[in-house]
Amino acid sequence: MTLSARRSLAAVSALGISQIISYGTLYYSFSILAPAMGEEFARSREWLFAAFSGTLLIGGIISPWSGRWADRFGAGRVMTLGSLAAAVSLLVCAWAPNWSIFAPALVTTGIATPFILYNTAFAVLVQIDPQAAPRRITLLTLIAGFSSTLFWPLATGLLKWFTWREIFLFYAGLQLCICFPIHFWLSQMTRRSPMLKPEASSDPATFDAGSLPLASRRSALILIASGFSFGSFALSAMLVHLVPVLAAVGLGTSAVLVGTIFGPSQFASRLVNMVLGHRFSALAVAILSTALIPLAFLMLLLPPPVPLIAGAVLFAMLFGMGSGLNSIVQGTLPLALFGHRGYGEILGKITAARLTVSSTAPFIFAFILEQFGPHAALAIAAFVGCCGVVTFVMVARLVRRSYQ
């Protein structure tokens, strides 16, 4: 194994740890801790998830800047700054004396998300080893897929012994003591990347130009951003509310247990993709992953002859598989179509559109859930997911026309 390969594998392992912690502390735990927050601040589910939607919105607004900074200064440096920002935001949330301070503090956690989550982590892997990046991205998502499996039960268990404020303090400590050192080490690796050297910008050996001709790139970027936005709306709505929705459809205390199937299903789909993914284009995987999401929702809407627990298990499996593959193609599809040059900025633009649209999902889903019940919420989320499938099919047609 070459030195470059060893370095990229070490980076994947380190990023896997930081992604598990970052997604767990900033995203997956919220639905578990929200009832305790709502009780203390005397706020309804809609108010809580409106504030959480604000974190996704601010993350979307910041994403283009984080992408450009990753291309210019190195993605490792951007992640180092992000872990500090995440820790500070969590500390402010934990110390907030009332709702008027807590809500803005919660929104500021969204400033950190584009700096430390997948889009910048993928840029780290591209800068360390551009040629191996697609496989390394798949391996990273394979490891990070266990974040929900670990943090849903962890947050549930911690709530039995600690307040949500103490849990947030613990989460801030994880960012400072584990994620920050990892990201600082990665910053030393990425700053040596030839992709950050001005003289390399005109070297074709440094950059893969991608498979899309220049004339089709603007249209393709708009369609890809739209497809990921539709898919992420459905994903975000359900991921934040997964355990409460499963409980609302009748699973009761089994909801957390069924929810734990989600993580292993993510892992399984990513493992299969890592072994067999070279046989399929990134665009084909994008269509498949987006289609699995509305199909999963339909499993919870099956008529009574089908046992509820069977439908819930099928839902968790299909939803986990769709989410797992979706995370991969968010990194590999732009890389395949647009290449290495300006990868961080392109990914930042796509992420901005995706997060801006999906930022409304937790609030809208919570409102529909509260007013019309879980079945109406699931049906609407499934429809939005189907729109994502149609959009990626349009991307495939555009790519075919480009080569005719």
Side-chain angles (χ1 to χ4, degrees):
M1 185 181 292
T2 65
L3 176 61
S4 177
R6 288 198 298 269
R7 290 173 67 231
S8 65
L9 283 174
V12 169
S13 301
L15 281 170
I17 295 170
S18 77
Q19 292 301 285
I20 286 173
I21 293 172
S22 295
Y23 271 101
T25 57
L26 298 177
Y27 195 85
Y28 287 122
S29 293
F30 186 78
S31 64
I32 306 296
L33 303 180
M37 299 172 186
E39 183 178 351
E40 178 175 337
F41 293 123
R43 288 291 185 268
S44 66
R45 177 186 292 268
E46 288 93 335
W47 277 103
L48 286 164
F49 283 97
F52 187 75
S53 293
T55 70
L56 300 179
L57 178 60
I58 195 70
I61 294 171
I62 295 294
S63 287
W65 280 275
S66 70
R68 283 194 287 269
W69 293 341
D71 287 336
R72 182 176 179 183
F73 302 112
R77 289 183 178 179
V78 171
M79 295 193 79
T80 304
L81 177 63
S83 52
L84 289 176
V88 170
S89 297
L90 289 167
L91 286 172
V92 175
C93 287
W95 291 331
N98 52 52
W99 173 257
S100 61
I101 295 177
F102 172 79
L106 182 66
V107 170
T108 63
T109 63
I111 297 175
T113 54
F115 290 86
I116 60 175
L117 298 184
Y118 273 151
N119 51 323
T120 310
F122 294 159
V124 167
L125 297 177
V126 170
Q127 290 175 5
I128 290 175
D129 191 346
Q131 302 307 317
R135 190 170 180 83
R136 298 294 184 250
I137 287 171
T138 302
L139 183 57
L140 173 60
T141 59
L142 191 69
I143 299 169
F146 284 99
S147 180
S148 60
T149 305
L150 293 172
F151 271 84
W152 277 330
L154 176 63
T156 302
L158 288 174
L159 266 179
K160 296 178 180 178
W161 301 98
F162 304 100
T163 67
W164 69 266
R165 293 179 183 275
E166 292 168 334
I167 294 171
F168 264 38
L169 290 174
F170 172 62
Y171 286 173
L174 292 178
Q175 287 289 340
L176 280 175
C177 299
I178 299 179
C179 294
F180 175 77
I182 287 174
H183 296 158
F184 180 79
W185 172 66
L186 290 169
S187 72
Q188 306 307 303
M189 296 178 68
T190 56
R191 76 174 188 172
R192 296 191 294 268
S193 172
M195 297 180 67
L196 301 181
K197 298 177 181 177
E199 63 269 19
S201 61
S202 59
D203 183 5
T206 303
F207 295 97
D208 171 18
S211 61
L212 266 181
L214 291 176
S216 302
R217 294 197 169 201
R218 179 176 175 81
S219 298
L221 182 60
I222 293 171
L223 285 172
I224 290 170
S226 299
F228 280 128
S229 296
F230 286 127
S232 292
F233 182 96
L235 272 171
S236 178
M238 193 62 185
L239 279 173
V240 174
H241 296 282
L242 192 144
V243 174
V245 167
L246 291 178
V249 296
L251 285 177
T253 56
S254 300
V256 174
L257 181 61
V258 172
T260 59
I261 300 173
F262 171 81
S265 298
Q266 277 192 325
F267 178 86
S269 65
R270 291 166 179 171
L271 182 61
V272 170
N273 184 77
M274 189 168 66
V275 176
L276 303 176
H278 63 280
R279 300 184 182 181
F280 307 97
S281 69
L283 190 50
V285 178
I287 294 171
L288 173 62
S289 66
T290 309
L292 286 171
I293 296 166
L295 181 61
F297 293 154
L298 294 178
M299 296 300 103
L300 293 176
L301 299 172
L302 291 174
V306 179
L308 177 60
I309 189 67
V313 170
L314 285 172
F315 156 78
M317 292 174 62
L318 293 172
F319 189 62
M321 292 166 61
S323 175
L325 293 175
N326 186 268
S327 298
I328 295 171
V329 294
Q330 285 177 22
T332 58
L333 182 59
L335 189 60
L337 296 183
F338 300 102
H340 299 144
R341 190 188 302 274
Y343 175 74
E345 184 173 0
I346 290 171
L347 205 58
K349 290 178 179 178
I350 294 172
T351 302
R354 178 173 61 82
L355 288 181
T356 300
V357 172
S358 64
S359 67
T360 61
F363 174 71
I364 291 175
F365 197 85
F367 176 80
I368 298 171
L369 191 64
E370 199 76 23
Q371 300 297 323
F372 303 103
H375 294 91
L378 288 167
I380 292 173
F383 173 77
V384 175
C386 288
C387 292
V389 178
V390 172
T391 306
F392 280 120
V393 170
M394 292 172 65
V395 174
R397 293 181 62 185
L398 175 64
V399 171
R400 282 198 298 268
R401 284 202 304 268
S402 299
Y403 291 97
Q404 289 178 352

